[in-house]
Amino acid sequence: MATYLYRIGRWAFRRRRLVGGVWLGVLVLAMAAAAVAPAGEEEDLSMPGTESQKAFDLLDERFPESNSQGAEARLVFRAPDGQRVTATENRAAVEDTLGSLDGGGQVASATDPYETGAVSEDGTVAYSTITYTVDAVDLTGATKSALEDAADRGRDAGLTVEIGGSALDAEEEPGGTTEIVGVLVAAVVLVLTLGSLAAAGLSLLTALLGVAVAFGLVTALAVPLGLTSTVAILALMLGLAVGIDYALFITSRFRDERARGSAPEEAAGRAVGTAGSAVVFAGATVLIALAGLGVVGIPELTRMGLGGAGAVALAVLVALTLPPALFGFFGRRVLPRALRKAGRAGGARPHAVPAAAGRPGLGTRWARFVLRRPVAVLVTAVLGLGAVALPALSLELGLPGDESKSVQTTQRRAYDLLSDGFGPGFNGPLTVVVDTSKSTDARAATDLAVTTVRDMDGIASVGDPVFGEAEDTAVFTAVPETAPNSGETKDLVHALRDAVPAVEAGTGAGVFVTGTTALNIDISEAMSDALLPYLTVVVGLAVLLLLVVFRSVLIPVKAALGFLLSVGAAFGVLVAVFQWGWAADLLGIEQTGPVMSLMPILVIGIVFGLAMDYEVFLLTRMREAYVHGASPGEAVVNGFRHSGRVVAAAAIIMISVFAGFIGMSSPTIQTMGLGLASAVAFDAFVVRMAIAPAVLALLGHRAWWLPRILNRVLPNVDIEGEALSRRDPALEPRPDAAVPPLPAGRRP
């Protein structure tokens, strides 16, 4: 592989104008396709195979008219203190507010709360349901403005008026202040790490081009593939993070090769052949983890995984071709100042720049520290991550609704008004579907189902059943006494389903408990059940991949165990912040509750791939030194000398990019940003920088052991570029003679 990528690097350097022009053309085409593509729709989560989804599918079949409904809004009214909404002047204000609605032909209907009985028992709160002829994404600005103006009209009359429902829901748009701050932090880190504005700009330019192309393609394919705004944001998040990192690693290796005396074209080829090999295998682990999300069985999660995988694959392709082309355009400006001076002094081909004779770098000093005290470092790091992971033992899963939005939003205030007026369960009603197609008496079967549900503890009210035209299906609502995300509501759903068989046995009817609340419960439980199988599949495949890369049995196992520690600590952070409320105000999270049910599997999938990035980049340099004769201790120090600073910079960049998304208003994106940022921080700076060298120090030569049978069977992918070293023995990596051997007693 190294030889093949070496040729790609040299070709891209020589044909830099062609490579640059092709990528520029791809960018223009992607942006043009995105500009003319219709807007995608935000789809509700679905979980094929669950009772809730079966009931929804049955409703779609038996009540097709329900599919024709578009967006929905609720105007919620509260009377002034000490008054009732049924008072003459307040009733007139409500009717005047509803009468002022003008949706430019998009309003289908608006219910009268006094006719439908949508008034609380104490008479203080009422609501009207407004339905539209189109979906939320197709509502015009005039329609939304008319809804907001109507609410303002009611407020002017002295009422408290808030708007709930989907009509005002908006897709999250990337490019906010917090994301820009993350990119600026990445730029500063690149400049400090590379010591060159040109080199930093090259890495950013490479990543931004890949992200722009990926974002354009996701936008263009949103309608045909059903991609949502969350998929686009995930693609942006991952593409930006890995794109900068991959370009940074290749640029850093190019500068190292130039410092050792390679000509520009040769250095570009070697950079892509060595660091590019690491990029390919690191990207492959990310692709495995993200594509594996499809095994869970949730279409939205599958689309998120494939969208993210596409962005990462594109980032790999860009990193292998565009940086070597840009090396040719930027010339010596990519190099550090010392190397540029040496080049000016020695002609066109710069002489090798010797290592500084002064104090060794921070990476070298840290590696030597760990080699002297491996047990203390290992125990401290493991116990520290274990302590941070303890809150994860109380992890609760759920799906966020309007209750998780900021109190500054009208949707959240409408949710609170309805909870105060009609009870906490009103915002999460259960839908009971009775399939009477095989029942001899449809009415009697439905009445028995209604009676059974009404008699259950925890039910606040039960609505009248509604029959379809063929009278083979009936549907009615049951309002719980507790909030949608509470444990009591979850227990109630299970109790209802346990009581259903008695109705089915006596009538021959099929009874299903569904609704958004029940579906959320089903999805959360399915996520919990799928967690271990998914983890087994992804970790197993990645261990096999690392076995091929490093030709070692123990290093892939160590990498997988270290990942489990870092992701456990990340879950602990999510529980502490989103469930317990620690530092929630600081992060702008105003409502605590269960962690979003998709997050554990999503974080595992993404973080595992990213964690293996650092494993591959850091240990590749160690193995490169080891296979060329360095002792285990010398190999560890060599890896940190060459890659420690770059890996640390890459981690800081990735953390800043992910953290930039915490400031978005979507609870899904907030949770994703915090989970990924914390997981990368733990994995890069604790697992890879502390635990990994400590374990390698304790294992010594055994760390690189491979049974003879595997040595014969496994393909040799040559990620260290050994074949390239044979091309020019003068450029073969040499372990630093100044690196001390392992302390006495540490060698196996």
Side-chain angles (χ1 to χ4, degrees), residues 258 261-265 332 335 339-340 342-351:
R258 290 283 282 148
S262 295
E265 182 178 328
R332 255 195 289 263
L335 306 178
L339 192 55
R340 292 199 299 269
R344 286 194 293 269
R349 179 184 173 101
H351 300 291

Side-chain angles (χ1 to χ4, degrees), residues 77-81 83 85 89-90 93-94 97 151-161:
F77 305 90
R78 186 176 68 185
D81 292 341
Q83 298 184 28
V85 289
E89 63 277 13
N90 293 331
V94 170
T97 299
D152 289 338
R153 189 181 186 94
R155 294 177 187 125
D156 293 340
L159 300 173
T160 298
V161 186

Side-chain angles (χ1 to χ4, degrees), residues 57 60 106 138 151 289 291 318 325 350 359 370 426 490 528 560 636 668 693 711 740:
D57 295 340
D60 290 341
Q106 291 187 315
D138 296 321
V318 172
R359 189 182 185 191
V370 175
F426 183 82
K490 179 180 178 180
S528 299
V636 171
T668 302
N711 190 46

Side-chain angles (χ1 to χ4, degrees), residues 230-293:
T230 304
V231 177
I233 292 175
L234 178 62
L236 172 63
M237 187 187 300
L238 287 177
L240 188 60
V242 302
I244 295 176
D245 281 5
Y246 293 166
L248 171 61
F249 284 116
I250 291 178
T251 302
S252 177
R253 188 60 185 250
F254 172 78
R255 286 150 55 100
D256 287 349
E257 295 295 335
R258 290 283 282 148
R260 293 168 54 212
S262 295
E265 182 178 328
E266 178 70 12
R270 288 179 174 272
V272 177
T274 52
S277 297
V279 165
V280 169
F281 279 95
T285 60
V286 183
L287 294 178
I288 289 173
L290 290 173
L293 292 172

Side-chain angles (χ1 to χ4, degrees), residues 448 452 497-508:
L448 180 58
T452 301
R497 288 173 174 170
D498 290 340
V500 161
V503 178
E504 294 176 333
T507 63

Side-chain angles (χ1 to χ4, degrees), residues 588-727:
I589 300 165
E590 301 186 37
Q591 177 69 30
T592 59
V595 175
M596 185 180 179
S597 57
L598 301 183
M599 281 304 108
I601 282 183
L602 192 60
V603 169
I604 285 173
I606 296 173
V607 172
F608 188 82
L610 300 181
M612 295 305 104
D613 280 6
Y614 302 124
E615 182 79 9
V616 170
F617 288 125
L618 192 58
L619 268 73
T620 295
R621 278 301 185 104
M622 295 181 189
R623 176 168 172 77
E624 186 176 345
Y626 183 78
V627 298
H628 287 95
S631 69
E634 292 169 346
V636 171
V637 176
N638 187 75
F640 272 88
R641 180 190 304 111
H642 290 290
S643 297
R645 184 182 182 188
V646 178
V647 167
I652 293 173
I653 289 170
M654 197 169 285
I655 292 167
S656 64
V657 170
F658 289 150
F661 289 84
I662 298 175
M664 300 187 76
S665 60
S666 168
T668 302
I669 304 301
Q670 281 185 320
T671 308
M672 194 186 305
L674 179 61
L676 295 178
S678 57
V680 169
F682 293 135
D683 195 88
F685 293 107
V686 182
V687 174
R688 310 304 157 190
M689 295 288 190
I691 293 178
V695 171
L696 291 176
L698 294 173
L699 291 176
H701 291 283
R702 290 185 295 269
W704 307 103
W705 169 76
L706 184 70
R708 291 181 179 179
I709 186 171
L710 289 180
N711 190 46
R712 292 194 300 268
V713 172
L714 292 179
N716 186 3
V717 296
D718 189 23
I719 195 172
E720 301 85 12
E722 186 177 356
L724 299 183
S725 298
R726 291 195 294 267
R727 295 174 60 90

Side-chain angles (χ1 to χ4, degrees), residues 312-405:
V312 172
L314 188 60
V316 171
L317 186 59
V318 172
L320 295 178
T321 54
L322 188 57
L326 294 178
F327 294 154
F329 285 119
F330 280 69
R332 255 195 289 263
R333 286 173 294 175
V334 177
L335 306 178
R337 182 176 302 174
L339 192 55
R340 292 199 299 269
K341 290 181 178 179
R344 286 194 293 269
R349 179 184 173 101
H351 300 291
V353 178
R359 189 182 185 191
L362 179 60
T364 300
R365 298 199 305 273
W366 171 252
R368 290 173 177 172
F369 172 82
V370 175
L371 291 176
R372 290 193 300 268
R373 303 174 180 84
V375 175
V377 171
L378 180 61
V379 171
T380 302
V382 171
L383 290 180
L385 287 180
V388 177
L390 283 177
L393 297 176
S394 61
L395 176 66
E396 296 178 6
L397 300 180
L399 289 174
D402 285 345
E403 77 282 356
S404 62
K405 295 181 178 179

